[in-house]
Amino acid sequence: MKRRFAWFALFATLPAATFILATVWQFSDEYQAAANQGGVIPMLAAFAALTSIYALVLGLLLALAGRREKELTKEANVYLTAGQEAARSKHELERRVDFLTAAREMMLVLREELEFGAIAKKVLGLVAQAAGTPDTGLVAIHLVADEKLQLRAVWREGDAVTEPAKLARAKVDGSIAGEAFTGRRLISRDDGAVLRFAIPITADRETIGALQVEIPQEGDEKERAAFAKRLESELHELMNFVALAIKTPDLYERTIRDGMTKLFTKRHFSNQLHHHEAIARRHSEPLALIMVDVDHFKNVNDTYGHLTGDMVLKEVAKIVKESIRSSNEAYRYGGEELGVLCPETTAEQAAALAERLRKKLEAKTIQGETKKLSVTASFGVAEWSADMKVPEELVSRADEALYVAKKSGRNQVQSWKAGALEAVKAAESAKGVGAGKSH
């Protein structure tokens, strides 16, 4: 604008000055002499007048150009604003797509996994993706255990951790999660560098924990506030899927766990037996089964009551569960009878494990309803072999060995041997015949 004004002033001033000079000159003697010789000055005056007209036209054109420039600048600003809005809309649509994708993936997880660790890792990654922080920030799941909120899984810098030992070293400040859990509401905080959120996890009208999200965030206060508001809305919507995903392993556990002993059920034992037998057959790996029966358990119930009997069974189950490897599986097979399925384990190794269990149980004093008491158990061990036509033959052999252990005096471990059951029964029969003759 200033440059156009300078050109306009130049074109307007020079001809005007020339015109004034010519006007003054006509009153001088030199003008009279020049006029007598042909009149150069009128030409100069005409030139000055034409230049002034040209300057005026040019000035008008420059003025019109300036006005058009303003209009174009205004239109450009409109298009720029529209472009920015379109970019924001595109970003919002992308975030919404990520959110819906995360929700869908959570539903697919439940079709593929039923173990908490596997589900938690996928849920954490999907929440981080939906929150826009898959490689930075933090996402943590806190669940109630032993009447207090405990860290069960954490996602940090693109890596998920669910193992208890690693979680103990994770150093996650869960105070905001505790507030959300206690207050039963979403809590958000902005310390200028990190946005922090915590929202209760509610399933079947029961608050079972809290989800914690921390996101490094840049931008001015207005942008941060808008992002926080948007994420709060998305977290509220996402929590329905998160709660279902986290609750599902618990629901599954309830269907395969015995309510009193917390061991696996007999039905689950049947499924796992076929599963492990197929693996053993395919890879020619050993597979052993230990059957456990509490000695004189009926007498415990009759003498001390069924409540004490339940307390004894719980303690026996606890000892078995705490003494076996993580790859082994303990089951309540029926009544006071338990089973331990031992993949990749020979009969000798299983018998050694059974002997350790027997000694631990023998040395244990169990608190009953009214008094302390000691119990023992008998153990039968068998190993799968390729000549078995069905997996249930392994159970039959372990039961036979258990029968031999009980008939041989109880509180002992017996491994299956061909003909051992028949020998015991023959001895019993002979004893019965001898007793009859003595009468």
Side-chain angles (χ1 to χ4, degrees), residues 224-241:
R224 295 165 65 86
F227 177 82
K229 184 177 181 180
R230 182 174 60 248
L231 187 57
E232 286 179 12
S233 175
E234 291 178 351
L235 284 176
H236 272 296
E237 191 174 352
L238 197 62
M239 287 312 296
N240 294 327
F241 301 100

Side-chain angles (χ1 to χ4, degrees), residues 5-20:
F5 179 78
W7 280 108
F8 176 76
L10 178 62
F11 277 96
T13 302
L14 289 178
T18 305
F19 183 77
I20 293 171

Side-chain angles (χ1 to χ4, degrees), residues 258-278:
D258 175 62
M260 184 176 68
T261 63
K262 306 305 178 185
L263 301 181
F264 291 118
T265 61
K266 184 177 180 179
R267 181 177 180 180
H268 188 59
F269 167 79
S270 179
N271 293 333
Q272 291 300 97
L273 175 64
H274 283 76
H275 170 71
H276 288 297
E277 189 270 347

